[in-house]
Amino acid sequence: MFNDFKLIGDRPVYIQVKDYLQKMIAQGGLLADQKLPSTRELSELLHVSRNTVIATYTSLEDEGFIYTIRGKGSFAAAVIPARCHEPSHDLKLDWKQRLSGTAQLADELDLMKRGIRAAKGTISFTSIAPDEKLFDLDQVKRAFLDRMSIEGDVLLNYGYAKGYKPLMEYLLQYMENKGVNVSGKDLLITNGFTEGFELVLSALQKRHGTVLCENPTHNTAIKNLKLHGYDITGIEMESDGICLDKVEQALQEQSFDFAFLIPSYHNPTGIVMSPEKRVKLIELMTAYQIPIVEDGFNEELRYSGAHVAPLIASAGASNNVVYIGSFSKVLFPGIRVGWILADHELIYYLESIKRARSIHTSTLDQSLLYQYLLNGNLDKYLKRARAEYKRKYEWTKQCIEEHIPCKRVSGDGGLHVFVEFEQGFKTRELLKMCSERGVIFTPGDNFYTDGTGQHTMRLGFSRVADEDISQGIRIIGQAAAQLMG
């Protein structure tokens, strides 16, 4: 007994000793009323200081796991055992047989489980997360300390389902500065884009069971739409955004519950919808009374040209656009904060769904983001981020043009580029060859709504070093040329 104790990590020693003894008592390794070694004996057995054991016994006694009799020592208390039946009676349910169709479909659509795992040293173009080397940690720490000093006691308690009011007010002003008419609109804070989209899908009535979107589009959106039972009609992309002629044709042929669109730095193509097309698209959707769910993806990562207002700005005083925003691709994905800006009546009901699902988004995360933004850090950060990502973007495109025999490269900014080969080329075969040579990327058919796109791929460059970008793209190009014969 006591010979299997091992110290690990930097956790306080007395807590490790306490957890060890507590587990023994709870699982019956130490029986009720069994005498424990003296503090001196246990310190020698576990190779820890006597003071550590004294602190451990004191804490265990406070929590009712041991008791002390003066002059006789310490004893294990009688606790409700963790095991209350014989091993022969253990119940082993077959949970797979009890899974819902939703759970099974979610597993089937889970690309993270089925994607190629990057071995150590692999050059990976699969991520479109921001480069953590750009994070200004000193300002994040300062924002945290500033906010905690102001209202730390409040931030550690329950918050409000709708969100942290100072952040909500900041974001309303932020959206107004983008040209959005916020009159009659309201805002709800979410745990990033994905929760926001899920809340909207849960709130909207499924009248027709059909959704219109760009083809290709955000894979996470495809998964959630399928999990909610929607049929998806994907409309092909042009160099300046979704093809309006095909949109109008689809609207004439069938009815849709809503449209899901990513107008800026579209995922995966990187295309930015032109201002003229945005206005015409809003007019078209208005004529057919189709709601729009807009993913405000990467709007801030503009490398050149004038600011392009979101679709919700083009809608003016109309209330048919639901905007879902997030700083996850711009600032810090670890702070799971996003927002929905929509008609006040829709937000009223989304608040109730949010409260039922997750009570509220972490107030600590919201307040940290708010203080970071309030301190004026966003503009400074974006200036550095745009310069770095633009440099990487241009280097990536240069390497592609030099090494990859492709048909087209698209991407007007953001954290990735989209590569198209001639029809008939198979990027999954290319991926298999490249992975054997230490390079992986995301095959483009993951993003298509109709099973097409086998000749495309997405290359995320944000977290890849310059030398790895050139080496990885050279390997992809060599493999592609080999496949082409």
Side-chain angles (χ1 to χ4, degrees):
M1 191 177 289
F2 306 116
N3 59 1
D4 59 342
F5 175 76
K6 292 181 181 179
L7 288 172
I8 55 173
D10 299 325
R11 202 169 180 221
V13 176
Y14 98 89
I15 292 180
Q16 294 189 53
V17 175
K18 176 195 165 188
D19 288 349
Y20 174 72
L21 292 177
Q22 184 174 316
K23 181 179 177 181
M24 289 184 70
I25 295 169
Q27 294 186 348
L30 287 169
L31 302 177
D33 304 319
Q34 181 176 341
K35 192 176 186 301
L36 301 178
S38 68
T39 55
R40 188 183 305 279
E41 289 172 335
L42 190 59
S43 69
E44 293 174 356
L45 287 169
L46 301 183
H47 305 291
V48 299
S49 72
R50 188 183 179 192
N51 285 339
T52 294
V53 179
I54 292 172
T56 299
Y57 279 6
T58 300
S59 182
L60 287 172
E61 187 170 10
D62 288 342
E63 295 182 21
F65 281 91
I66 69 173
Y67 63 91
T68 301
I69 299 176
R70 186 179 295 276
K72 292 187 177 182
S74 298
F75 300 82
V79 299
I80 298 174
R83 192 175 194 86
C84 56
H85 50 76
E86 293 301 316
S88 60
H89 297 152
D90 281 353
L91 176 63
K92 298 293 185 183
L93 292 176
D94 184 355
W95 284 108
K96 193 170 183 179
Q97 298 298 320
R98 295 172 180 252
L99 293 176
S100 67
T102 299
Q104 294 180 49
L105 181 58
D107 173 69
E108 181 184 327
L109 298 172
D110 193 341
L111 298 181
M112 293 297 290
K113 287 182 178 178
R114 287 162 179 77
I116 293 178
R117 297 295 179 184
K120 189 174 182 181
T122 298
I123 299 173
S124 174
F125 292 102
T126 59
S127 174
I128 57 170
D131 184 355
E132 55 268 22
K133 296 184 184 69
L134 292 173
F135 296 166
D136 43 356
L137 295 183
D138 288 341
Q139 292 302 326
V140 174
K141 292 175 185 175
R142 179 184 171 187
F144 174 77
L145 294 174
D146 285 351
R147 210 68 218 160
M148 286 297 287
S149 67
I150 295 171
E151 52 178 352
D153 53 340
V154 173
L155 302 179
L156 295 174
N157 212 325
Y158 280 110
Y160 297 96
K162 201 172 179 183
Y164 179 61
K165 190 173 181 180
L167 178 61
M168 292 170 62
E169 292 174 346
Y170 183 99
L171 290 173
L172 277 170
Q173 183 64 56
Y174 179 76
M175 294 303 295
E176 197 167 18
N177 292 344
K178 285 176 176 276
V180 178
N181 182 346
V182 299
S183 176
K185 297 180 176 66
D186 205 351
L187 195 140
L188 176 79
I189 302 293
T190 67
N191 295 315
F193 163 82
T194 306
E195 191 201 29
F197 192 48
E198 171 67 23
L199 290 173
V200 172
L201 291 179
S202 299
L204 296 183
Q205 185 182 109
K206 193 158 61 173
R207 296 180 175 179
H208 312 289
T210 51
V211 173
L212 182 147
C213 67
E214 297 123 332
N215 192 29
T217 190
H218 189 185
N219 177 261
T220 297
I222 293 175
K223 287 190 292 187
N224 278 281
L225 288 169
K226 287 184 176 180
L227 287 174
H228 279 266
Y230 281 101
D231 290 327
I232 307 170
T233 298
I235 305 297
E236 67 184 63
M237 298 283 286
E238 298 176 325
S239 60
D240 62 344
I242 194 168
C243 176
L244 291 185
D245 289 340
K246 295 291 180 66
V247 169
E248 186 165 16
Q249 181 182 340
L251 293 174
Q252 290 171 351
E253 293 175 351
Q254 66 181 117
S255 299
F256 295 94
D257 290 310
F258 63 93
F260 170 74
L261 300 167
I262 314 172
S264 295
Y265 308 113
H266 175 264
N267 186 11
T269 67
I271 292 171
V272 176
M273 189 185 296
S274 67
E276 297 79 15
K277 183 164 281 191
R278 291 174 190 240
V279 173
K280 291 178 182 177
L281 181 62
I282 289 292
E283 291 174 351
L284 194 56
M285 293 298 178
T286 300
Y288 282 87
Q289 296 189 14
I290 304 293
I292 297 172
V293 178
E294 176 181 8
D295 181 358
F297 183 78
N298 271 355
E299 278 183 353
E300 287 72 19
L301 292 183
R302 173 181 54 82
Y303 296 161
S304 60
H307 165 71
V308 181
L311 283 176
I312 193 171
S314 300
S318 298
N319 70 347
N320 62 321
V321 180
V322 179
Y323 179 95
I324 306 178
S326 167
F327 288 125
S328 293
K329 295 295 186 290
V330 179
L331 285 174
F332 320 118
I335 299 179
R336 302 304 301 149
V337 177
W339 67 94
I340 303 172
L341 179 67
D343 181 80
H344 68 92
E345 189 169 10
L346 177 59
I347 295 293
Y348 175 83
Y349 288 98
L350 290 175
E351 178 187 357
S352 295
I353 299 174
K354 167 75 175 177
R355 184 176 287 110
R357 294 275 177 86
S358 60
I359 304 180
H360 66 86
T361 296
S362 165
T363 310
L364 197 59
D365 286 0
Q366 293 183 71
S367 66
L368 169 58
L369 176 60
Y370 166 70
Q371 191 66 47
Y372 179 87
L373 297 171
L374 187 67
N375 288 350
N377 294 308
L378 179 60
D379 289 343
K380 298 174 187 175
Y381 176 85
L382 285 178
K383 186 175 181 180
R384 289 190 297 111
R386 285 182 189 131
E388 175 62 7
Y389 293 140
K390 180 182 180 182
R391 187 189 64 75
K392 280 192 171 183
Y393 165 78
E394 291 174 347
W395 174 238
T396 301
K397 285 196 70 176
Q398 180 183 328
C399 291
I400 291 172
E401 290 166 1
E402 183 176 347
H403 296 293
I404 299 181
C406 59
K407 176 183 177 182
R408 184 183 299 110
V409 180
S410 62
D412 299 316
L415 306 172
H416 66 277
V417 294
F418 196 64
V419 179
E420 294 181 59
F421 294 88
E422 295 291 345
Q423 287 285 348
F425 188 84
K426 305 294 184 183
T427 54
R428 286 197 176 271
E429 292 181 17
L430 177 64
L431 175 60
K432 184 178 180 182
M433 290 180 64
C434 290
S435 65
E436 293 170 353
R437 303 176 189 186
V439 178
I440 60 175
F441 54 82
T442 306
D445 59 347
N446 287 336
F447 305 97
Y448 280 78
T449 63
D450 54 3
T452 60
Q454 289 91 349
H455 63 299
T456 65
M457 65 180 180
R458 188 187 71 182
L459 296 180
F461 55 76
S462 56
R463 303 175 69 190
V464 188
D466 287 8
E467 59 272 19
D468 286 340
I469 289 175
S470 58
Q471 181 183 350
I473 289 176
R474 185 169 60 253
I475 290 171
I476 293 172
Q478 290 169 350
Q482 187 177 337
L483 276 176
M484 292 174 179

